[in-house]
Structure formats: C-alpha cells, structure tokens
Amino acid sequence: SRPVWRGLVEQLSDLYCRGLDGIWALVLKNAFMPLFLEPFDYVVGNPPWILWDNLPQGYREQTMGLWNEYGLFVHSGMDTILGKGKKDLSTLMSYVAIDRYLKLRGKIGFVITQSVWKTAGAAQGFRRFRIGQDRDHFAIVHVDDMSSIQAFEGASTRASVFVAIKGERTRYPVPYSYWRKTARGRSLGYDSTSEEVFSLTGRANFMAVPVSQTDPTSAWLTARPKAIEAARKFLGSSSYSAHAGAYTGGANGVYWLQVLSTIMPNGNAVVQNVTDGAKREVESITVEIETGLLFPLLRSGDLQRWKPLPKVHILMMQDPQRRRGFSEAEIQEKCPKTWSYVSRFEKQLRARAAFVRYYTRPNKDGTKLETGPFYSMFDVSSYTFAPWKVVWTRMGNKIDAAVIPKEVVPQETITLIACESEEEAHYLAATINSSPFQFAAFAYSQAGGKSFGSPHLLENINVPAFEPANSTHRRLVALSKEAHAIAAEVETAKDTKNRRLADIERQVGEAAAELWGLTPQELTDVQASLRELKGEAV
C-alpha cells in the first residue's frame, strides 16, 4: 500500500499548491479505495466544511450523483432559492464515510458544523440518517455542541461532534451536551490540555428531539428534558404566516435615503442616498425628488424590543399588487425627479443577481427579455403595507419584537406579520417577546446565524389566532402597549422605568403561560432552560 499512500500525498500536495485541494473528497474516494477493501469498526475525522454554493461548478457537477444517491437533496425550485438548498460538504462526507468505510454496527465520530442539527431545511436530508432511500440506517447516539466556545483557534466556527452507529435507527431523545465557556479572560488554544479545557468550560446535559412531532427530519429542539416536555404545549404550526421585509437586491445605497430638508411647498424633498455600509460602491449624491414614493425604513439596527425607531427612508418604487416596479411611463410622468435620480444607477440595478434571476428570461434568439422595470425590488407585497405589522429581528442572537404602522417599511433582515388591527399586532408582539416563545426559538433555531428569527419560526411555534374577547389575549395587548410606551422613553429614563419594563416582561411571560396552558412549574423550567441557552447560566 506504500505506493498508493505516496501517490495520494503527492497528488494532494500538488492540488494544495494549485489551490485546488477543496476537491479532495473525490481524490479521497478514488485513491483510497484500494486501501479500504474491508470496512472498519471505527471511523473518526473532521471533513471539510464548505457550502454547496461555494464549491466550484465542476465539482458540483461531479458530485451531484452522490448527493442524490444519499438523499441529501430533498428541496428544489423556490425552496432551494430561498436557502433550503444550502448544503454543506461535510454532510456528504459523513454519508460517504458511513456507507463505504464503516462496518455494520461500527461507530463513527465526526466533527461537523453545528448547523446540521439546527437549520430548518438545508440539513433536512442529512437528518434522514439513512443511506439512500432503502439502505442502512444509522443512529446518532450523542452530540457535543461546541458552537459557543470556538473550538478551533483562530477560526470562527460552530463546531459539533457526533457519534453514530451504522445499522441502527436513531432513537429520541438523543443525548446532547451543550458546551459553554465558564472562565472569563482566558482562551482555549491548540496546546490546551484536557484538564485546562474542562476547567474553562461547562457542559449542560441537554436532550435533542425533532421540533416537529410529525416530521422526524425537522430541526432539533435541544434543552433540558423538563423544558422539552413543557414545550410540547406551544410547539406546532401557527395560525399566522410571516414574511421577510423589503429587499433591494443588494442596492441599499440606491434605495436608502436620508431626508435632509423639510417638505418643500412643491411637495418635494432634498435627499442623500445612504452609502455607509453598502455592499457595492455607490456614488453619493444629493438630489431633490418627489415624496410620494418615500417611506420610513426600519432597519434591523433601528429595532429594539418594544421600540421601533426608523431613522432613514426607502424609495419604494415597487407595486405591491403586481410585485414588480411601477411602469417606467408612470414614474416618468408622475415622479420625473425620482426617475432622473434612479436612472443614474440603471446599469448597476440591471446587474443585480436577484434582478437577473427574477426579472429576466431568455428569448429564442439568445437575448434576454426583462419582465419588470430595472428598479424592481423583492419581497414586497400587500403584507408590506398591511394596516399594522409586528416585526422582529431575523439575524443574530436576539428576537426583539415591536409594532409598526402601515407606512413604515421593514428591511429584509427583519421578519414581519401583517395585522388588520393595532390590538392584534400588540397581542403578537407580546407573545413573541414572551419567554416561552423565546425559549422555543433559541432551543431549535441557530442563534447567531442569518436565519435565527426567519419566518420559519411560525412553522413550529403555535401562536393562536387573536380573539378580541379572550381575556388573556386582551391582557397581552395591554402589556405590550404599556411596554412600548415605557420603551420609548428608555434612553432618558431612570432605573425605575427599566425595572418597570422588566416587571411587565415578567407579566408577559405569565400571560403567555396562561395562553398555552403551562403550569407555574413548567414556566419555571422553560425560563431556566432559556437562561442556559442564552449563556446566562450553565
């Protein structure tokens, strides 16, 4: 076997020097097979973590057969576009290793991205825990979640380690150890001893179950057993659907505007485009435009719990009914100054990847036909301009909900629910800010990730429809209104008002427990587990 090893090392070295070692999975598959004539009792490893989108096109084409063979692609069409198709190469490597290199009843231990347990759709195929459609199952018997301790020095990763047995079925709940750093001011490194690691960290003995009782491939809910049992009372599909806010397609520097003057007698305003933090370099200009298409914009950084504070405006040129930009003729006639402004960026707006994907289609002669004006936007519909909206932050590690009126437009990093009345919006804001809802979100979604507070939350957390005559619903409305009023003054308020807000949130938790039929002990268990998940206790 020595010539095989030598040839493999030389090949890997050559690929590394040419920057092509990202395709080592195929090299491993082809060059190692002579060594693996017999499967093993134990397989351990740390496969590469590379998103499907980041793989070279040629490598995607060469490995597509394997992804399909192992059942890892379970989404297509719009689901794939919306992110459920963002597979990680580590999932494919895990299946290959279990299938080809592990004996029946053998054990595998792999370091893998923690997202495979938490992402709502991208890892759904992986969580089938079965080779293909009708071959061997494998049982996940333990997971160590190290996403909070940065296990790899010098790299920001969300690491986890799983142990599985080939030929058995996964039985829930699965033991799930949640690691957290307990010592401040001291870091872990490659040279840290096991004693040092254990002295600097703590481990919560969680359990894991699919968040949906009807879908064993759904994302995992991880928490203390008592909290999981209590959560069964408020898990399930909601009576509401959520949506993302308005998306410019990567052209915030064109559509986001700072109003520099009060409205002039002719109904126009002087504005400057907001270019700070823009992903693409955009010319900064100051112009006079009509105000008919200007709306207050709520960005994620402007949203706090109970407190929305729009600071800039958005140029909303999208027809929410037709879901494409207003016609060029209409803009030219009714808003000529706005037309002149946006035309300066025509080339950049046509080059947006999302515009090309959604608003162009090929002609028979090979040219492209545009199906919407070049300034068309995305994720704008009737829900964007609902009479009232409850909104919350989609990314990061917080879900902070607040109520906004019709004219305020949230950006795409904010999730919204359209509401017909102010009372309904306040009922939802209180429910979402309550400790049971927050626990469910932290326990099954990926805190710190881009999809933490995405619309999928309402697919798994059962928020009952608002009933104006229901006393518990009315109490949640009143508490939310009071919390909004106090939060509006927090920047200049004394500690007494902060304490009052904390007391209101305590009452919100109790009212939400009543909403879902939780006992006082169950609420206590849920709140204790929430503190653990947020790192407030281990």
Side-chain angles (χ1 to χ4, degrees), residues 235-524:
L235 294 178
S237 181
S238 173
S239 298
Y240 293 90
S241 59
H243 307 274
Y247 179 44
T248 68
N252 294 345
V254 175
Y255 294 94
W256 293 8
L257 302 172
Q258 184 76 53
V259 176
L260 302 180
S261 69
T262 56
I263 306 303
M264 294 183 285
N266 63 0
N268 296 344
V270 176
V271 300
Q272 182 179 44
N273 55 327
V274 179
T275 58
D276 293 343
K279 291 183 178 180
R280 296 176 179 83
E281 187 174 345
V282 177
E283 176 189 9
S284 177
I285 60 175
T286 300
V287 295
E288 177 186 338
I289 65 172
E290 298 83 4
T291 57
L293 300 177
L294 277 179
F295 293 85
L297 171 69
L298 185 66
R299 299 171 294 181
S300 56
D302 303 331
L303 175 58
Q304 302 173 32
R305 179 169 295 192
W306 314 114
K307 185 177 181 178
L309 194 63
K311 298 176 182 177
V312 299
H313 285 69
I314 186 170
L315 182 61
M316 180 54 66
M317 305 179 71
Q318 191 83 344
D319 184 336
Q321 303 304 323
R322 297 175 63 240
R323 304 199 70 168
R324 65 192 63 196
F326 292 110
S327 72
E328 295 185 12
E330 184 177 3
I331 297 296
Q332 290 170 9
E333 177 186 355
K334 297 180 179 179
C335 305
K337 292 185 181 294
T338 300
W339 170 261
S340 177
Y341 164 74
V342 77
S343 293
R344 300 177 65 140
F345 304 100
E346 181 174 351
K347 182 178 180 180
Q348 292 165 276
L349 295 178
R350 278 200 162 95
R352 292 173 295 166
F355 179 78
V356 173
R357 170 179 282 176
Y358 293 113
Y359 292 111
T360 65
R361 66 169 183 256
N363 282 320
K364 292 181 179 179
D365 60 3
T367 60
K368 289 184 177 180
L369 173 67
E370 291 186 355
T371 60
F374 65 88
Y375 43 78
S376 295
M377 294 168 61
F378 317 92
D379 290 326
V380 176
S381 187
S382 56
Y383 53 74
T384 309
F385 294 97
W388 292 90
K389 299 177 283 278
V390 60
V391 294
W392 66 87
T393 44
R394 178 168 67 87
M395 299 181 179
N397 57 7
K398 295 190 299 181
I399 295 179
D400 292 331
V403 173
I404 59 174
K406 178 178 182 176
E407 64 272 10
V408 178
V409 174
Q411 74 164 126
E412 85 281 357
T413 57
I414 288 175
T415 299
L416 69 93
I417 303 175
C419 301
E420 290 301 315
S421 70
E422 182 181 8
E423 285 69 27
E424 182 180 37
H426 277 290
Y427 157 74
L428 287 168
T431 302
I432 290 163
N433 283 335
S434 72
S435 48
F437 188 101
Q438 296 280 316
F439 163 75
F442 271 90
Y444 99 85
S445 195
Q446 189 178 20
K450 293 183 178 180
S451 62
F452 176 48
S454 290
H456 66 73
L457 288 179
L458 294 191
E459 297 173 9
N460 296 294
I461 307 176
N462 181 13
V463 179
F466 176 58
E467 299 175 6
N470 185 300
S471 60
T472 301
H473 292 203
R474 293 199 307 270
R475 176 153 178 72
L476 286 165
V477 171
L479 289 168
S480 174
K481 288 184 175 181
E482 188 176 359
H484 277 78
I486 293 175
E489 305 175 16
V490 159
E491 284 186 351
T492 58
K494 301 295 183 182
D495 288 343
T496 52
K497 289 201 172 180
N498 288 320
R499 288 198 295 270
R500 176 59 183 150
L501 195 58
D503 182 60
I504 290 175
E505 293 190 342
R506 177 188 59 78
Q507 295 180 61
V508 166
E510 293 172 351
E514 185 175 327
L515 175 73
W516 282 303
L518 297 176
T519 67
Q521 183 57 55
E522 287 174 329
L523 178 61
T524 298

